Amino acid sequence: MSGKTNVVVIGGGYAGVMAANRLTQRGDVSVTLVNPRPEFVHRIRLHQLAAGTGEAVVPFREVLADGARLVVDAVTRIDAAGRRVELAMGDTVGYDYLVYAVGSGSADPKVPGAAEFGYPVASLEDVQRLLPVLGAAPAGAAVTVVGAGPTGIETAAELAEQGRAVTLVCGGVLGPYLHARGRRSVAGRLAALGVSVLEGEGSKVVAVARDAVELADGRVLPSAVTIWTVGFGVPDLAVRSGLSTDALGRLLTDETLTSIDDDRVFAAGDSAAPSGQPLRMSCQTAMPMGARVADTVLSRIAGERPEELHQPFAAQCISLGRGTGIFQFANRADVAVWAHIDGRLGAKVKEAVCTGVVRHLAEEGHRPGGYKLHRAGSAAKRQELVRARVAAEGAGVRAVVERIA
């Protein structure tokens, strides 16, 4: 026996890599990262990979600390009682502490035909399935992007800039997170790129066929390629392992990111639901949570009381092709405000964010413990927001949050 404390991190995304890197700062801790792929997927560049304007894969050697062991396999079950994880290839890995950071992916679409004829872009495998379909479609063929959140907007803009005939079907409002001023800026850029934007209740997709999309108002849009960006889901690993989750399947934790079932199990990123009130799915959330969960584990090992979640929010940034973008500022409650940066400067800010994400991970790998952004928020503010959201569930949550922010 080495005498070291064994920590297993499940998931090599933004939260998992940050957590694994930070955990290596103690020499008496052995860190194992279990991930189904041998490379790190830079998810916020997947729309570029789909359009052929950039790469979205980074070798783990560039972002993962030398002191963390990488196991390329999928976890099929967490045996919390036995403190081990079972792997798809038949092996098991024991742990003293476990970090659950399995991320998110496409939600199972309920719209008839969407699963069969729609192509999501939420994972590397999704994009790899889409690429040959796009490649086989003539340059002037109709491409329909369903969903007008950041992924849909970025995908539509990227493809349109490459000469594709793109229709963006919102199913409601364009960029629902954005402030009205930011939304107008995005709409203007999409129009300049030739993207046809369909908004309103009538634009909800009710059926998808091989060569068409049917809308709620009866319109039928020809569509050689339909890209589906509506909704995200999380893996069901926690559910299958008998751990408590929210309705979506995110692991339920307290504000220190410790499982409500087991003080040896922790969660961070898109697959975590602190106090039953998960944060917005994004790398802006995942990386600070990865640092916070690592600090919690290290505090437990040291016999100290861990700090509660401090989660800073600043903005949402969206690329609109290679030369334009928007950086939409937000308040501490993660509600968009009037201020934004757009145009070429917006594109530069977005690119700086994309580059900075990988740099932050690499720097934490080289100098564990150096990352500080997870301390920029306020635990008291988070608690205030949680209380307000719980009190307002089902009755105007957003309005309450805006009032107290």
Side-chain angles (χ1 to χ4, degrees), residues 51-308:
T53 61
E55 296 296 328
V57 174
V58 178
F60 267 119
R61 66 176 179 274
E62 295 184 14
V63 295
L64 186 61
D66 291 339
R69 179 173 71 109
L70 175 65
V71 173
V72 180
D73 206 339
V75 176
T76 57
R77 179 174 172 270
I78 300 166
D79 178 4
R83 291 185 192 167
R84 62 178 188 167
V85 296
E86 300 171 2
L87 306 181
M89 294 183 185
D91 291 335
T92 62
V93 180
Y95 66 83
D96 295 303
Y97 297 94
L98 177 73
V99 175
Y100 187 83
V102 297
S104 63
S106 301
D108 182 23
K110 305 302 181 185
V111 173
E116 184 178 1
F117 301 115
Y119 292 87
V121 289
S123 71
L124 177 62
E125 291 77 14
D126 289 339
V127 176
Q128 288 171 337
R129 285 190 291 270
L130 171 64
L131 285 173
V133 177
L134 274 173
V143 176
T144 304
V145 178
V146 182
T151 302
I153 292 170
E154 290 188 325
T155 303
E158 206 78 28
L159 290 171
E161 196 170 63
Q162 299 309 302
R164 293 285 184 176
V166 180
T167 297
L168 178 62
V169 179
C170 300
V173 68
L174 173 69
Y177 177 92
L178 299 170
H179 187 274
R181 293 180 74 246
R183 189 172 298 119
R184 286 194 293 270
S185 175
V186 170
R189 176 57 180 164
L190 291 174
L193 288 170
V195 177
S196 176
V197 178
L198 305 183
E199 294 187 83
E201 287 297 309
S203 69
K204 288 184 177 179
V205 174
V206 296
V208 180
R210 187 181 303 277
D211 58 358
V213 170
E214 182 181 348
L215 305 185
D217 60 10
R219 283 177 290 177
V220 177
L221 310 177
S223 182
V225 182
T226 300
I227 300 174
W228 194 266
T229 72
V230 180
F232 288 93
V234 300
D236 65 352
L237 176 60
V239 174
R240 286 187 283 111
S241 301
L243 296 168
S244 295
T245 69
D246 68 1
L248 190 64
R250 291 171 287 215
L251 187 69
L252 287 173
T253 75
D254 63 15
E255 288 295 297
T256 71
L257 302 180
T258 305
S259 165
I260 64 171
D261 300 317
D262 189 331
D263 63 6
R264 298 276 180 151
V265 176
F266 311 85
D270 292 353
S271 54
S275 303
Q277 299 293 325
L279 296 96
R280 172 162 57 93
M281 292 180 173
S282 68
C283 63
Q284 180 184 177
T285 300
M287 286 175 54
M289 286 182 79
R292 171 60 54 205
V293 79
D295 287 358
T296 293
V297 174
L298 293 173
S299 293
R300 299 284 191 198
I301 292 171
E304 300 170 351
R305 182 177 180 178
E307 293 184 41
E308 294 189 341

Side-chain angles (χ1 to χ4, degrees), residues 317-336:
C317 50
I318 301 173
S319 64
L320 298 164
R322 293 298 85 214
T324 304
I326 184 168
F327 189 86
Q328 170 67 71
F329 287 97
N331 61 21
R332 289 184 297 175
D334 197 27
V335 176

